[in-house]
Amino acid sequence: MPTITKAIYVNFAAARSTNRMNRLSSLVQRTELNSLVIDIRSEGGALLLDTDEATRDQLEPLRQAGIYLIARLVAFKGGPRGWYDPGSQARWQEIAEISLRAFDAGFDEINYDYVRYGVAGEPRSRTPIRERAPTLRAFFEFLRAEVGDAASRPISADVFGITLLGQQERIGQRLEDAVELFDYVMPMPYPSHWDPGSFGLANPAHHPYETLYASLAAGWRRVAALPGRIALLRSWIQAFDLDSSRPMRRYRYTPWHIREQIRAADDAGCAGYAAWNPRSDYEERAFVPDPRDTA
């Protein structure tokens, strides 16, 4: 397991393509990258390829190359009505079973996304707002016992960037809960997702270092000294083209923008980063340190 995780996201289609996986693993081996965050199925069926055995065979060369493999498992988005009930213990058990299968197939860590209730435009929940954060904490405790401790392997959870600044009771996310029960908490403070004016910046997407550092440092200050904290922060970073303007519009995110976020995550005390591009399309120059960078 690397001390500092430097990862890129691999979507399900890319992970099922031999050619694309070969290109992505080659990218990792040519750059500072050392990890892949790979989508797996979260609603039944084989994890990735036609069988779990085929997935195991695909992962073995990556493991032999020293690449740290993180399985991304979508927790509550999906299901017959578009969203699972985060309080459903049947869904909890299904998630635990899939997680243990992923470890058996060769993944080193499980990363849980959509560990929350829905936001505007997503299916509404009848769970009272005051009960949502306690429900998610109970789910986190379940994962700690039934997956992390049971397998003696790391588990991580994604949270909204705004959760770094304070408790988000409507979606049930509290940073304080997550850092006590996961090995890594992975916030998503993408610069494009902050409103104009956030952190005193007219357009946060144009200031990747300042935006990431301000949000990550604020969150870390809140939780670093908690007696029960076990988690380290590992930030998602933006590797896609989007502006902070409202309505959003395309804005070219260059290798410079990505390296500025990497620098911010490091300066804010993160144990690495994971770059998100929904198409799993990355520029090599973004992950090759500029020799002019300070040590």
Side-chain angles (χ1 to χ4, degrees):
M1 180 177 180
T3 303
I4 303 296
T5 306
K6 302 176 181 182
I8 52 174
Y9 163 68
V10 183
N11 65 34
F12 190 75
R16 286 172 60 85
S17 164
T18 300
N19 287 339
R20 294 190 68 187
M21 281 299 290
N22 286 342
R23 291 199 299 270
L24 290 169
S25 72
S26 179
L27 175 66
V28 172
Q29 294 175 73
R30 292 195 309 271
T31 63
E32 71 178 42
L33 296 167
N34 56 27
S35 310
L36 296 172
V37 181
I38 302 173
D39 272 342
I40 62 172
R41 286 193 182 95
S42 62
E43 299 182 45
L47 293 172
L48 182 58
L49 302 178
D50 294 335
T51 66
D52 288 355
E53 183 61 35
T55 300
R56 185 179 296 108
D57 291 343
Q58 182 198 48
L59 296 181
E60 184 57 27
L62 302 176
R63 292 174 58 83
Q64 291 297 324
I67 298 174
Y68 186 67
L69 301 173
I70 303 171
R72 176 179 175 266
L73 198 162
V74 173
F76 300 122
K77 182 181 179 181
R81 296 184 178 179
W83 205 269
Y84 289 99
D85 175 10
S88 168
Q89 296 197 14
R91 178 58 180 165
W92 294 9
Q93 189 60 48
E94 184 178 39
I95 290 169
E97 291 171 359
I98 295 168
S99 301
L100 296 175
R101 283 171 54 199
F103 283 137
D104 186 61
F107 285 98
D108 300 299
E109 176 182 327
I110 311 298
N111 167 250
Y112 299 97
D113 199 1
Y114 287 89
V115 285
R116 59 175 177 82
Y117 287 80
V119 295
E122 295 174 339
R124 296 182 179 180
S125 172
R126 295 181 180 179
T127 302
I129 291 176
R130 66 180 181 278
E131 297 178 11
R132 295 181 184 181
T135 297
L136 282 188
R137 183 180 176 94
F139 172 61
F140 296 168
E141 291 170 346
F142 173 85
L143 291 179
R144 179 77 263 162
E146 300 298 322
V147 179
D149 291 346
S152 298
R153 301 283 189 87
I155 55 175
S156 58
D158 298 342
V159 298
F160 275 175
I162 193 67
T163 303
L164 291 164
L165 304 187
Q167 298 178 3
Q168 302 300 306
E169 302 294 344
R170 183 170 293 277
I171 61 171
Q173 287 189 347
R174 294 189 299 213
L175 188 62
E176 291 80 358
D177 291 334
V179 298
E180 291 182 354
L181 293 159
F182 292 94
D183 298 286
Y184 296 93
V185 173
M186 298 180 62
M188 302 178 286
Y190 304 128
S192 63
H193 284 37
W194 296 97
D195 287 332
S198 297
F199 311 114
L201 302 169
N203 195 320
H206 296 188
H207 302 275
Y209 177 90
E210 293 82 357
T211 302
L212 233 71
Y213 182 81
S215 55
L216 290 169
W220 192 234
R221 281 194 299 269
R222 282 178 40 224
V223 301
L226 289 179
R229 177 186 67 81
I230 63 172
L232 299 174
L233 287 188
R234 178 201 291 150
S235 186
W236 283 101
I237 63 174
Q238 179 173 339
F240 53 88
D241 298 339
L242 199 62
D243 205 4
S244 296
S245 56
R246 299 294 185 265
M248 287 180 168
R249 58 183 174 82
R250 185 179 183 277
Y251 171 69
R252 171 89 170 100
Y253 244 58
T254 68
W256 175 84
H257 291 84
I258 294 169
R259 292 222 58 82
E260 284 293 278
Q261 292 175 88
I262 293 171
R263 186 167 69 90
D266 184 54
D267 288 352
C270 287
Y273 63 84
W276 176 274
N277 180 288
R279 301 186 308 277
S280 300
D281 184 14
Y282 303 96
E283 290 189 58
E284 182 169 337
R285 288 185 302 122
F287 308 106
V288 177
D290 189 318
R292 294 169 294 181
D293 289 347
T294 57

